[in-house]
Amino acid sequence: MATPNRKPILLDFEKPLAELEARIDQIRQLAEENGVDVSDQIRQLESRATQLRQEIFSSLSPSQRLQLARHPRRPSTLDYIQAMSDEWMEVHGDRRGYDDPALVGGVGRLANQPVVMLGHQKGRDTKDNVARNFGMAAPGGYRKAMRLMEHANRFGMPILTFIDTPGAWAGVDAEKLGQGEAIAYNLREMFSLDVPIICTVIGEGGSGGALGIGVGEQLLMLEHSVYTVATPEACAAILWKDAGQAPQAAQALKITAPDLKELGIIDQIVPEPDGGAHSNPLKAAEKLKQCLVRTLGELMSLTPEQRREMRYQKFRQIGVFSEIVPA
């Protein structure tokens, strides 16, 4: 998980809160050094900090949520897996000669239930991000994911996927290796699997790169995650020839969890700790684990036929709307 004693990386809208918290720490330290009782003042300031935190994080714009989703200290797939699982063994390779570090997966136990867990993996710093290709999986990554999911289906283990990518790798080599075919194959095969599949957007869910491991009966999103057909920057560059219009594009794209829940695209919103998942990764993992265990219990009670039909109907209904014709 993220190291708590590192110097915090502050987003613009977090700075007023950080300044208030720094002031509280300074007053507390001065009071201890001088033997002065300022407990009443400290309580008032802490109450104000709690209120300010709630005000900030309850009224975030889509572009601010996007910043949170991309926060370098936001918990990653491996962070969540290691915090939630009782046992965990990573599996490498697609058995075609490639092991993609941008997509990780393996076998583990969640609340004593054997499961296969897999997801996109971003880096924690620049060097790590380059090694992980910024979480943008190559065709080998999606083939490794499918290998793991077929293993899960063969042995009756539920599948948990964690989505956190700006999109699939769009390089020339990726196209040569069959990026489109690899993602399309995963989409088709995931609809046919018998075991429960729960997909969770833990950070940034972008384009076909997200969909390549995103077909399941239940699609969950962490509260401050985003899920979109294209990044707001790409959308703005296409529509207005100006990536600076990204905030306007983010608003129009309906990328936030509340918007997508209202549209019926996602099924559940997983609440994050006050201040976002990066402020308390262990608490964020506990909240996600509770949601996954509860949802998994509900899906395990269904037959494979019911799960496949649930999966099919879920995606058939996306984009359906009713048009009211004036009398």
Side-chain angles (χ1 to χ4, degrees):
M1 307 300 287
T3 306
N5 58 358
R6 287 181 178 176
K7 185 178 179 180
I9 298 174
L10 296 176
L11 303 175
D12 289 343
F13 58 86
E14 293 180 300
K15 289 179 180 177
L17 177 61
E19 290 170 359
L20 179 56
E21 290 176 338
R23 183 182 170 193
I24 292 171
D25 291 340
Q26 185 180 25
I27 292 173
R28 184 181 287 113
Q29 184 178 353
L30 288 172
E32 289 176 356
E33 291 173 355
N34 295 280
V36 180
D37 183 12
V38 292
S39 54
D40 289 340
Q41 293 89 330
I42 292 291
R43 276 194 296 270
Q44 290 176 4
L45 288 172
E46 287 178 339
S47 176
R48 172 56 187 151
T50 300
Q51 182 183 358
L52 181 59
R53 184 180 295 106
Q54 291 172 345
E55 289 173 357
I56 291 172
F57 286 90
S58 64
S59 59
L60 295 172
S61 68
S63 60
Q64 288 173 331
R65 288 180 188 263
L66 181 61
Q67 291 179 60
L68 276 179
R70 293 172 173 172
H71 198 289
R73 299 278 168 82
R74 191 170 178 85
S76 67
T77 291
L78 287 176
D79 289 332
Y80 282 116
I81 288 175
Q82 291 164 2
M84 295 189 301
S85 59
D86 305 319
E87 297 178 59
W88 163 248
M89 181 179 70
E90 186 173 354
V91 176
H92 295 274
D94 63 352
R95 289 191 173 173
R96 299 188 186 185
Y98 187 64
D99 180 37
D100 187 0
L103 203 153
V104 299
V107 181
R109 288 182 181 273
L110 183 75
N112 209 35
Q113 167 67 49
V115 294
V116 162
M117 294 181 277
L118 58 99
H120 304 103
Q121 180 64 30
K122 293 181 177 179
R124 188 64 69 197
D125 53 32
T126 302
K127 182 179 179 180
D128 196 18
N129 259 319
V130 170
R132 298 281 184 182
N133 201 29
F134 296 85
M136 296 183 291
Y142 291 103
R143 291 176 181 134
K144 175 168 68 173
M146 196 66 244
R147 173 197 165 199
L148 283 164
M149 289 188 277
E150 288 172 345
H151 178 85
N153 197 57
R154 187 177 304 116
F155 292 99
M157 292 184 286
I159 299 167
L160 307 177
T161 76
F162 303 97
I163 298 166
D164 187 16
T165 181
W169 181 34
V172 173
D173 287 342
E175 295 304 315
K176 287 181 180 178
L177 295 170
Q179 184 72 285
E181 184 274 340
I183 292 174
Y185 183 84
N186 281 22
L187 295 177
R188 186 188 71 185
E189 293 302 306
M190 290 182 80
F191 277 107
S192 68
L193 299 178
D194 294 331
V195 295
I197 305 175
I198 304 175
C199 308
T200 306
V201 183
I202 60 172
E204 185 178 9
S207 192
L211 273 179
I213 57 169
V215 176
E217 300 94 278
Q218 288 280 299
L219 177 58
L220 282 54
M221 273 185 77
L222 292 186
E223 183 180 1
H224 300 308
S225 295
V226 297
Y227 196 35
T228 176
V229 67
T231 64
E233 293 86 353
C235 179
I238 293 168
L239 292 180
W240 299 292
K241 304 295 187 289
D242 179 11
Q245 297 291 326
Q248 183 179 346
Q251 184 72 40
L253 282 168
K254 304 295 183 185
I255 64 176
T256 68
D259 284 333
L260 294 168
K261 181 72 166 62
E262 184 177 352
L263 291 169
I265 293 174
I266 69 166
D267 301 290
Q268 299 181 54
I269 299 174
V270 182
E272 297 187 22
D274 289 339
H278 66 281
S279 68
N280 194 334
L282 290 175
K283 188 174 181 180
E286 182 59 31
K287 286 176 178 285
L288 178 56
K289 181 178 180 179
Q290 291 172 0
C291 191
L292 288 173
V293 170
R294 183 183 68 252
T295 305
L296 189 55
E298 295 169 358
L299 294 178
M300 292 285 283
S301 66
L302 304 176
T303 65
E305 292 77 13
Q306 288 173 321
R307 288 194 288 262
R308 288 197 300 269
E309 181 64 18
M310 185 177 177
R311 217 174 290 153
Y312 174 78
Q313 291 300 333
K314 171 180 174 54
F315 282 84
R316 288 291 293 175
Q317 290 168 11
I318 291 177
V320 172
F321 63 92
S322 298
E323 187 172 359
I324 299 174
V325 181

